Amino acid sequence: MTYRPLTHRALQWLADNLSLPPVAVGIVCTTTLGLLALWFSWLIGIVDEVAVGRLPDIALRAPVTLYMMLGYLPVAMYYLMRWTTGHFDELVREFALEHESMLFPQSLSNWIGAAGSLTMCLLFLDMPNNLLKPWSWPAGFTFPLVGLVFLGWFNFRFMFLLVWTALAISRTAKQICHIDLFDTSGVKPYAQQGVRTSLLAVISLSISSNLWLDPSSPTLASGTTVVLLIVATILALLLPAWGIHLRIKVMKQSELKKIRKAIALRCDPGTRSVDDAQQLRADLALERRLLEVSEWPFDAGTYGRVILYIMLGLG
């Protein structure tokens, strides 16, 4: 795996050297950045202004939430890439796939991140009159500007990689020639990829929901951000399993076609022997088992729970 930015290496050290589980790493990074934002807001007077009512509470909640997202998103991207690589390696071993490693699109991701930074600033910031004189910008503008630049960078790359990794995992199903329809445990990585990575996006929605859904937030900017993140979440859930769903469906229909052809031949009373009658019962039982085989690597209840988590994440 060649995609190793500085944040990735730092988080790998934090997760591996301190043996912290993903939840703990996320809490540490999110809380640390949130507290730093709260401290800086106090330094520049935002906390006092909100306390006496001269500023609305969103003036404090917005920067704290923004920097909490900056603490969370690098963690989410790290585990997205780590889990994707792990699931890919499992599939390579299980089905002897030709690919040797998962390569992430670093250059394209960086361009999307740069576009995200520009988009977030244009959507959420009121530009000052002295825009071309950065040395004279007030702290109340510079503080959210820095946060939005990095938030756009991480958020848009995260959404892009959610969809890209889902498609990459899904495409591996085309190389699978045989699946045991009565034991689909080998295709679990497809389901795990969808559930795990979509929950990363759900947590992102949950952290930021108090900001995006606030009535005083810019409607167009907030709506666009939430819709993009929800779409990326749903795609991250469904796309990894789509390719293997099609393979299971084709194999299931092929086996059903064979068994039904055999059943039709053995149903002819003029040529049916005692052995044929016994085999017919076995074929009918096999047909019933095949009809009960799910064409998805996990059941509809799993999808329902994740959709529920998305709704809870939106508050």
Side-chain angles (χ1 to χ4, degrees), residues 62-256:
V64 172
T65 301
L66 189 154
Y67 279 85
M68 287 177 68
M69 287 291 293
L70 288 183
Y72 172 74
L73 285 171
V75 176
M77 290 179 61
Y78 167 71
Y79 282 104
L80 169 63
M81 292 186 285
R82 180 170 179 163
W83 290 338
T84 300
T85 302
H87 295 148
F88 182 84
D89 291 343
E90 283 184 55
L91 292 170
V92 168
R93 290 193 300 269
E94 179 71 25
F95 297 104
L97 304 182
E98 295 179 1
H99 295 288
E100 295 181 357
S101 62
M102 172 68 72
L103 299 177
F104 295 92
Q106 181 177 2
S107 179
L108 179 57
S109 173
N110 289 342
W111 279 105
I112 289 175
S117 296
L118 179 61
T119 301
M120 294 295 283
C121 291
L122 292 176
L123 287 176
F124 284 96
L125 276 181
D126 293 326
M127 299 300 171
N129 295 327
N130 58 344
L131 183 61
L132 300 181
K133 299 178 180 179
W135 57 88
S136 61
W137 290 348
F141 173 77
T142 307
F143 184 39
L145 171 65
V146 172
L148 284 170
V149 166
F150 283 101
L151 180 62
W153 170 265
F154 285 115
N155 203 27
F156 275 63
R157 289 170 67 229
F158 174 58
M159 290 188 289
F160 164 69
L161 287 173
L162 271 178
V163 178
W164 188 90
T165 53
L167 287 171
I169 291 292
S170 180
R171 283 194 294 266
T172 61
K174 294 180 180 179
Q175 299 183 41
I176 298 177
C177 299
H178 175 73
I179 299 172
D180 185 347
L181 295 175
F182 301 120
D183 180 15
T184 56
S185 57
V187 301
K188 280 184 178 180
Y190 291 101
Q192 293 169 342
Q193 175 74 13
V195 173
R196 279 179 159 186
T197 59
S198 62
L199 286 179
L200 289 174
V202 169
I203 295 171
S204 177
L205 274 171
S206 181
I207 294 172
S208 59
S209 61
N210 79 88
L211 180 60
W212 308 135
L213 303 181
D214 192 285
S216 58
S217 294
T219 304
L220 176 62
S222 298
T224 302
T225 305
V226 171
V227 168
L228 285 175
L229 194 50
I230 290 176
V231 170
T233 303
I234 294 173
L235 290 177
L237 174 65
L238 298 177
L239 285 180
W242 182 252
I244 199 64
H245 157 67
L246 295 178
R247 295 296 295 147
I248 293 174
K249 183 177 181 180
V250 168
M251 292 180 184
K252 178 180 175 180
Q253 293 303 317
S254 176
E255 291 300 316
L256 281 171

